[in-house]
Amino acid sequence: REAPRHAMATHGESETDPPVPSTSPTTVESVNSRRLEFHASLADGQWFALSKALDAAPGPCTPCDPIVIRAEVKRFLKLHLTKPGSGPFLLGFRALIEAQSGRQVAVAWRIDPALLTQSGGEGWMRDAVTMLSTACVRRRDLETMLINDQDNVNSNDSNHEKETPGGVQNKYLAWQLPMDLGDLDLYKLLMKLPDRKTLIRASPSGEIVANASLPEHPTRVTETIGFGGNDCTPSLGKRRHVCCMIFVVATVCVVAMMTR
């Protein structure tokens, strides 16, 4: 009789529930602290990678070379068009080109650095920075610092607003297109980019600074993009080109039929 009782007792002990992890305030605080340290380390690594990419990126040609710019944009599209962060990035870049077209003043595009660090990985970030640095001029005067030296930073928020490694300490990064990049070249550049219908699920990133001209900037020379003058947008110009081609083909067909 003792053997079955001992077996039942042993069986009962084996079916007991596992110990429940401690949920004391000290344990929860420790887990949260480790989580914050992980995210802080990840953010520091992203900022450092962005700083390296900005330092290594080539600057725009002087004078600008539209062929080189289009080739770099085409390379980025070939590698990263379907990446998750490409939609907002390309729509914002497209908005910059559209805003600059036909304007005599400089137009700038200001973005959150998180667009580059948290969109498509480190390779995507390097190629995006290379494309921007090749096609645009960086406007450091429009970049807002993370920490304003004139304000007193609360010591409790020092970890949240600490300086980032690698020299990047900006809340925004800003670029403008070269002043000597003509409207016709902007039109050709837009034709390389996917249209808004292709990127319908994305929203443009950043903000457009409508007048970013500096005193030393020359007045930008605008050009007529055939069929409509300077007020002709690329999409409207493309439709007018198509209509013109249809009209020419129809006219040739009518003339050919009448001469028979």
Side-chain angles (χ1 to χ4, degrees):
R1 293 181 180 177
E2 294 296 332
R5 290 179 182 177
H6 179 71
M8 292 177 62
T10 305
H11 180 71
E13 290 177 359
S14 64
E15 292 184 350
T16 56
D17 295 332
V20 179
S22 175
T23 57
S24 63
T26 304
T27 304
V28 174
E29 182 178 356
S30 177
V31 172
N32 291 337
S33 177
R34 289 197 298 269
R35 185 183 295 113
L36 290 175
E37 290 177 0
F38 169 77
H39 286 292
S41 176
L42 179 63
D44 288 348
Q46 291 172 339
W47 278 101
F48 185 75
L50 175 58
S51 178
K52 288 179 60 179
L54 290 171
D55 292 340
C61 301
T62 305
C64 73
D65 189 341
I67 297 178
V68 173
I69 294 175
R70 290 197 296 270
E72 185 59 37
V73 171
K74 186 177 179 180
R75 186 184 77 89
F76 179 85
L77 294 175
K78 182 179 180 180
L79 294 174
H80 305 292
L81 178 59
T82 59
K83 296 293 179 62
S86 296
F89 175 74
L90 292 174
L91 283 177
F93 184 61
R94 184 182 184 90
L96 171 64
I97 299 174
E98 292 174 343
Q100 183 63 81
S101 180
R103 301 287 301 277
Q104 294 182 333
V105 297
V107 176
W109 181 34
R110 192 161 60 177
I111 64 173
D112 189 333
L115 172 67
L116 301 174
T117 60
Q118 301 178 11
S119 292
E122 189 170 336
W124 183 95
M125 177 189 64
R126 286 196 302 266
D127 290 339
V129 170
T130 300
M131 190 194 84
L132 285 176
S133 300
T134 302
C136 303
V137 179
R138 189 173 172 187
R139 290 292 302 272
R140 296 178 183 270
D141 57 304
L142 299 176
E143 298 177 353
T144 306
M145 304 297 290
L146 276 175
I147 299 177
N148 189 344
D149 295 334
Q150 299 178 355
D151 296 337
N152 294 323
V153 180
N154 191 337
S155 59
N156 295 331
D157 298 333
S158 59
N159 292 331
H160 179 69
E161 297 185 5
K162 65 180 180 179
E163 293 187 1
T164 51
V168 181
Q169 303 171 12
N170 298 337
K171 187 177 180 180
Y172 296 104
L173 297 173
W175 279 273
Q176 76 163 64
L177 293 163
M179 295 292 284
D180 56 342
L181 189 63
D183 288 340
L184 182 58
D185 293 319
L186 294 180
Y187 177 90
K188 293 179 180 179
L189 190 57
L190 276 177
M191 293 299 100
K192 296 291 183 182
L193 296 174
D195 56 21
R196 295 181 182 274
K197 293 182 179 179
T198 305
L199 305 172
I200 192 171
R201 295 184 179 181
S203 300
S205 59
E207 61 180 5
I208 299 297
V209 182
N211 188 350
S213 289
L214 295 174
E216 61 268 23
H217 283 164
T219 301
R220 185 173 176 274
V221 178
T222 58
E223 300 173 337
T224 300
I225 309 176
F227 303 105
N230 294 334
D231 60 339
C232 178
T233 62
S235 58
L236 181 58
K238 186 175 182 179
R239 291 196 297 269
R240 289 175 177 175
H241 275 286
V242 172
C243 292
C244 180
M245 292 298 297
I246 294 175
F247 175 77
V248 171
V249 172
T251 303
V252 171
C253 292
V254 170
V255 172
M257 293 177 62
M258 293 178 62
T259 55
R260 288 184 177 180

Short mmCIF file of all heavy atoms in Angstrom, two decimals, residues 1-11:
data_model
loop_
_atom_site.label_atom_id
_atom_site.label_comp_id
_atom_site.label_asym_id
_atom_site.label_seq_id
_atom_site.Cartn_x
_atom_site.Cartn_y
_atom_site.Cartn_z
N ARG A 1 0.82 -1.21 0.00
CA ARG A 1 0.00 0.00 0.00
C ARG A 1 0.85 1.27 0.00
O ARG A 1 0.47 2.30 -0.53
CB ARG A 1 -0.92 0.00 1.21
CG ARG A 1 -1.99 -1.08 1.16
CD ARG A 1 -2.87 -0.99 2.37
NE ARG A 1 -3.89 -2.04 2.32
CZ ARG A 1 -4.79 -2.25 3.27
NH1 ARG A 1 -4.77 -1.47 4.35
NH2 ARG A 1 -5.68 -3.21 3.16
N GLU A 2 2.03 1.20 0.65
CA GLU A 2 2.86 2.39 0.71
C GLU A 2 3.42 2.74 -0.66
O GLU A 2 3.60 3.91 -0.99
CB GLU A 2 4.02 2.15 1.70
CG GLU A 2 3.57 1.98 3.14
CD GLU A 2 2.92 3.24 3.65
OE1 GLU A 2 3.28 4.34 3.16
OE2 GLU A 2 2.04 3.15 4.51
N ALA A 3 3.72 1.71 -1.48
CA ALA A 3 4.30 1.97 -2.81
C ALA A 3 3.36 2.76 -3.69
O ALA A 3 3.76 3.75 -4.29
CB ALA A 3 4.70 0.65 -3.47
N PRO A 4 2.05 2.35 -3.80
CA PRO A 4 1.16 3.17 -4.63
C PRO A 4 1.04 4.59 -4.11
O PRO A 4 0.96 5.54 -4.90
CB PRO A 4 -0.17 2.42 -4.55
CG PRO A 4 0.21 1.01 -4.27
CD PRO A 4 1.39 1.11 -3.39
N ARG A 5 0.95 4.75 -2.78
CA ARG A 5 0.83 6.11 -2.23
C ARG A 5 2.05 6.95 -2.60
O ARG A 5 1.95 8.12 -2.96
CB ARG A 5 0.69 6.03 -0.72
CG ARG A 5 -0.65 5.47 -0.26
CD ARG A 5 -0.70 5.41 1.24
NE ARG A 5 -1.96 4.83 1.67
CZ ARG A 5 -2.25 4.60 2.95
NH1 ARG A 5 -1.35 4.89 3.90
NH2 ARG A 5 -3.42 4.08 3.29
N HIS A 6 3.25 6.30 -2.51
CA HIS A 6 4.46 7.03 -2.85
C HIS A 6 4.48 7.39 -4.34
O HIS A 6 4.88 8.49 -4.72
CB HIS A 6 5.68 6.17 -2.49
CG HIS A 6 6.98 6.84 -2.84
ND1 HIS A 6 7.45 7.93 -2.13
CD2 HIS A 6 7.89 6.58 -3.82
CE1 HIS A 6 8.60 8.31 -2.63
NE2 HIS A 6 8.89 7.50 -3.68
N ALA A 7 3.99 6.47 -5.16
CA ALA A 7 3.94 6.75 -6.61
C ALA A 7 2.98 7.87 -6.92
O ALA A 7 3.25 8.73 -7.74
CB ALA A 7 3.54 5.46 -7.36
N MET A 8 1.82 7.87 -6.24
CA MET A 8 0.85 8.93 -6.46
C MET A 8 1.40 10.27 -6.01
O MET A 8 1.19 11.30 -6.65
CB MET A 8 -0.45 8.60 -5.71
CG MET A 8 -1.20 7.40 -6.29
SD MET A 8 -2.65 7.00 -5.34
CE MET A 8 -3.60 8.48 -5.53
N ALA A 9 2.13 10.26 -4.88
CA ALA A 9 2.71 11.52 -4.39
C ALA A 9 3.74 12.04 -5.38
O ALA A 9 3.80 13.23 -5.68
CB ALA A 9 3.34 11.28 -3.01
N THR A 10 4.56 11.09 -5.89
CA THR A 10 5.56 11.51 -6.87
C THR A 10 4.91 12.04 -8.13
O THR A 10 5.32 13.04 -8.71
CB THR A 10 6.49 10.33 -7.23
OG1 THR A 10 7.06 9.82 -6.02
CG2 THR A 10 7.60 10.76 -8.18
N HIS A 11 3.84 11.33 -8.58
CA HIS A 11 3.11 11.78 -9.77
C HIS A 11 2.49 13.15 -9.55
O HIS A 11 2.49 14.01 -10.42
CB HIS A 11 2.04 10.74 -10.13
CG HIS A 11 1.24 11.13 -11.35
ND1 HIS A 11 1.79 11.10 -12.61
CD2 HIS A 11 -0.05 11.52 -11.47
CE1 HIS A 11 0.87 11.48 -13.47
NE2 HIS A 11 -0.26 11.73 -12.80
#
